Amino acid sequence: MTWDWGAVADFMPYFWDGLLVTLQILVSGSLISFALGLVWALLMRAPTRWVTWPVGAVTEFVRNTPLLVQLFFLFYVLPEWGITFSALTTGVFAIGLHYSTYTMQVYRAGIEAVPVGQWEAATALNLPLRRTWTVVILPQAVRRVVPALGNYVISMLKDTPLLMAITVLEMLGQARLFAQQNFQFTEPLTVIGVAFIVISYLASLALRALERRLVH
């Protein structure tokens, strides 16, 4: 077996297309998971079981079923009910929904870590509940959970190849397409393997920088 730099050069247009799709999935999926996870966490603190029980059941179901099964369900089953989205939209929503059930737990831990004195101070100042959350509690909670949220971003990155199962051509999908067309597997798979390592490393550096900024 010999390494073919010509194959690498030929693969690069495929790679850039796949990289763009991968980053779209990662950014959009992260935003969905962060926003929806916070919604789940706040709903789980509702004073009535009529809210907490359904939310808990839904999030447990999503967290304990494989992401691939959820992808297949959203992409192949929902159209039978008249609900149809593009493969990319379905993949982004699925990965965001799946990881929102994990970020929910992260937010919940961050909220519970806020000292009781902060709640008491907000009550003593007669702050409305909305301002208590937006000004006092959530800023402190989010600052505590940034590292954990960042770890899930990296996990989402590593799960983006699953979207190839519903025809989304992210990096692995493009590598597979190139390999099948040119019967060269070593070069494209090596390139995307290195790309995943580099992106994960850069993401971890950005996370550390953000963490230091929030601490200071």
Side-chain angles (χ1 to χ4, degrees):
M1 182 186 70
T2 57
W3 181 263
D4 186 355
W5 285 107
V8 174
D10 292 339
F11 172 63
M12 292 314 294
Y14 292 80
F15 170 75
W16 295 120
D17 289 343
L19 176 62
L20 178 60
V21 173
T22 296
L23 293 179
Q24 287 178 326
I25 296 166
L26 181 61
V27 173
S28 301
S30 297
L31 292 175
I32 291 173
S33 69
F34 293 162
L36 195 53
L38 181 57
V39 172
W40 296 141
L42 294 177
L43 289 176
M44 286 298 293
R45 296 183 64 88
T48 172
R49 288 179 58 85
W50 291 107
V51 175
T52 59
W53 188 89
V55 171
V58 169
T59 54
E60 282 296 318
F61 176 80
V62 173
R63 184 165 56 248
N64 290 294
T65 53
L67 175 57
L68 188 57
V69 173
Q70 295 165 18
L71 284 168
F72 281 166
F73 183 88
L74 293 173
F75 190 65
Y76 294 110
V77 177
L78 288 187
E80 296 182 3
W81 299 348
I83 305 173
T84 305
F85 298 101
S86 68
L88 181 58
T89 300
T90 301
V92 167
F93 177 74
I95 203 167
L97 173 65
H98 184 80
Y99 275 93
S100 72
T101 62
Y102 294 96
T103 59
M104 176 194 73
Q105 299 295 342
V106 173
Y107 284 124
R108 187 166 69 174
I111 292 170
E112 291 176 353
V114 175
V116 176
Q118 297 295 314
W119 295 91
E120 295 174 344
T123 302
L125 292 172
N126 200 29
L127 288 179
L129 183 61
R130 180 178 177 183
R131 285 186 59 81
T132 298
W133 277 104
T134 58
V135 177
V136 180
I137 304 303
L138 288 181
Q140 296 182 65
V142 171
R143 186 178 294 114
R144 287 176 165 83
V145 302
V146 164
L149 292 177
N151 289 335
Y152 282 122
V153 171
I154 296 175
S155 295
M156 275 186 271
L157 171 66
K158 292 187 288 187
D159 275 348
T160 55
L162 290 175
L163 273 62
M164 183 178 62
I166 59 170
T167 73
V168 175
L169 290 178
E170 40 63 65
M171 287 196 293
L172 181 59
Q174 291 287 0
R176 182 184 179 186
L177 177 62
F178 176 86
Q180 290 175 337
Q181 292 176 345
N182 298 275
F183 303 101
Q184 292 175 299
F185 290 85
T186 301
E187 291 82 5
L189 292 176
T190 301
V191 168
I192 67 162
V194 172
F196 273 110
I197 293 173
V198 171
I199 296 172
S200 297
Y201 179 68
L202 293 177
S204 66
L205 290 180
L207 174 63
R208 292 173 192 169
L210 178 60
E211 185 178 357
R212 288 194 297 269
R213 183 174 180 179
L214 290 174
V215 170
H216 299 293

